[in-house]
Amino acid sequence: MMMLWCFYRCLFFVSLLNNVDLTSRKHHGKALILDGIIQCTEHDEFSYQEMISFLPLCAHPSPAKVLIVGGGDGGVAREVHKHPLVKEIVQVEIDAEVIEASKRYLPFMAVGFDSDKLTLNICDGFQYMKEHKDEFDVIITDSSDPIGPAVNLFTESYFGLLKGALRSGGIICSQNGTVWAGLDHVKETMEHCRKHFTTVKYAVASVPTYPSGQIGFVVASLDERDLTVPKHRFGEKELGEMELRYYNSEIHSASFVLPNFVRKVLQ
Ligand SMILES: *[C@@H]1O[C@H](CO)[C@@H](O)[C@H](O)[C@H]1NC(C)=O
């Protein structure tokens, strides 16, 4: 969400106010700074991209066909491509300008678009899922949240759409806010998700330059299964070859362990 949001803001400011600061900073690498606030940095974007990708991929015994909804910066495609069992990736992004901005400013993320497993469609993800039922093993949602009174209505029907586009045994993962800024919203989201999915879990990853230093994900499966235990465990050699800097099998399980104040609300 934040990644996409930064691009919309970026495009807006580039074209209208020229108020974007794409600086190379010593500690963060390349950073996108708007109104003096860091939106994303080269230094820590990998934790978000790796976790939103590898949590559902490794929870699935054979994640052959993957759908990415949103993800216009290319970072999620970059990570999904690395999983050895992934054969085919479809990505649906509604805004071609986001992709162009990423290619221009954030090539270390846009490199994901070079994947030979990837088919990129510029279209509405909702419409796409309505027309592609029963097709995907894993669906990853990396998009901005809707705002306003219809949010909850949207959320429940959205999880219904995801369910319809999954093959049996399918798993989803969505970027889903933070427990520090919107615990009630997380709780509601999980309740909506439970109407369509049998197993629903919440995981967190640390992203130091995000406002609360953390980002959360809803991971859910059609079947009853322990999503906290990875079906594939990568050894040191594989982790090195895949250039994974955050995700490993121990982090996978640990990311589902939540503090007491969160556990109490989400259970
Ligand atoms: C979680 O993601 C869904 C789908 O994008 C969205 O409808 C919902 O509002 C999100 N919830 C939170 C807490 O971010």
Side-chain angles (χ1 to χ4, degrees), residues 42-143:
E42 191 171 6
H43 171 69
D44 66 10
E45 55 84 18
F46 64 89
S47 77
Y48 174 82
Q49 322 290 348
E50 289 184 20
M51 290 295 275
I52 198 173
S53 305
F54 281 92
L55 286 177
L57 292 177
C58 290
H60 197 294
S62 55
K65 191 164 179 183
V66 180
L67 175 66
I68 301 167
V69 181
D73 51 48
V76 175
R78 180 190 71 198
E79 297 306 320
V80 172
H81 172 87
K82 294 175 181 175
H83 196 293
L85 296 178
V86 171
K87 297 203 167 62
E88 219 183 318
I89 308 167
V90 177
Q91 181 168 352
V92 288
E93 166 59 60
I94 198 159
D95 192 343
E97 276 185 284
V98 178
I99 296 165
E100 292 317 310
S102 181
K103 285 183 177 165
R104 190 153 158 215
Y105 296 114
L106 304 169
F108 53 92
M109 290 160 89
V111 67
F113 297 123
D114 297 339
S115 168
D116 54 7
K117 301 177 183 178
L118 178 73
T119 307
L120 180 60
N121 297 308
I122 309 298
C123 67
D124 176 22
F126 286 56
Q127 199 52 40
Y128 186 89
M129 285 193 277
K130 277 181 197 153
E131 290 161 8
H132 293 79
K133 300 272 181 210
D134 213 4
E135 224 183 281
F136 299 96
D137 299 304
V138 170
I139 303 178
I140 296 166
T141 304
D142 176 23
S143 64

Side-chain angles (χ1 to χ4, degrees), residues 196-218:
H196 298 282
F197 289 84
T198 307
T199 310
V200 179
K201 301 289 278 182
Y202 196 73
V204 296
S206 70
V207 187
T209 50
Y210 281 177
S212 74
Q214 203 178 63
I215 194 84
F217 310 100
V218 166

Side-chain angles (χ1 to χ4, degrees), residues 7 106 150 159 186 208 220 247:
F7 286 116
L106 304 169
F159 285 120
V186 173
Y247 179 90

Side-chain angles (χ1 to χ4, degrees), residues 52-63 65-67 136-141 159 162-163 165-174 193 197 199-201 218-232 252 256:
I52 198 173
S53 305
F54 281 92
L55 286 177
L57 292 177
C58 290
H60 197 294
S62 55
K65 191 164 179 183
V66 180
L67 175 66
F136 299 96
D137 299 304
V138 170
I139 303 178
I140 296 166
T141 304
F159 285 120
L162 291 172
K163 178 183 182 176
L166 283 175
R167 284 175 184 160
S168 71
I171 294 182
I172 58 155
C173 184
S174 302
C193 190
F197 289 84
T199 310
V200 179
K201 301 289 278 182
V218 166
V219 187
S221 62
L222 296 175
D223 301 337
E224 193 151 332
R225 72 170 70 180
D226 189 353
L227 298 168
T228 69
V229 178
K231 302 294 168 294
H232 311 281
H252 183 119
F256 291 96

Side-chain angles (χ1 to χ4, degrees), residues 1-2 4-5 8 70 141-146 154 175:
M1 169 196 73
M2 303 221 184
L4 279 182
W5 173 230
Y8 290 121
T141 304
D142 176 23
S143 64
S144 47
D145 290 332
F154 164 86
Q175 175 285 118

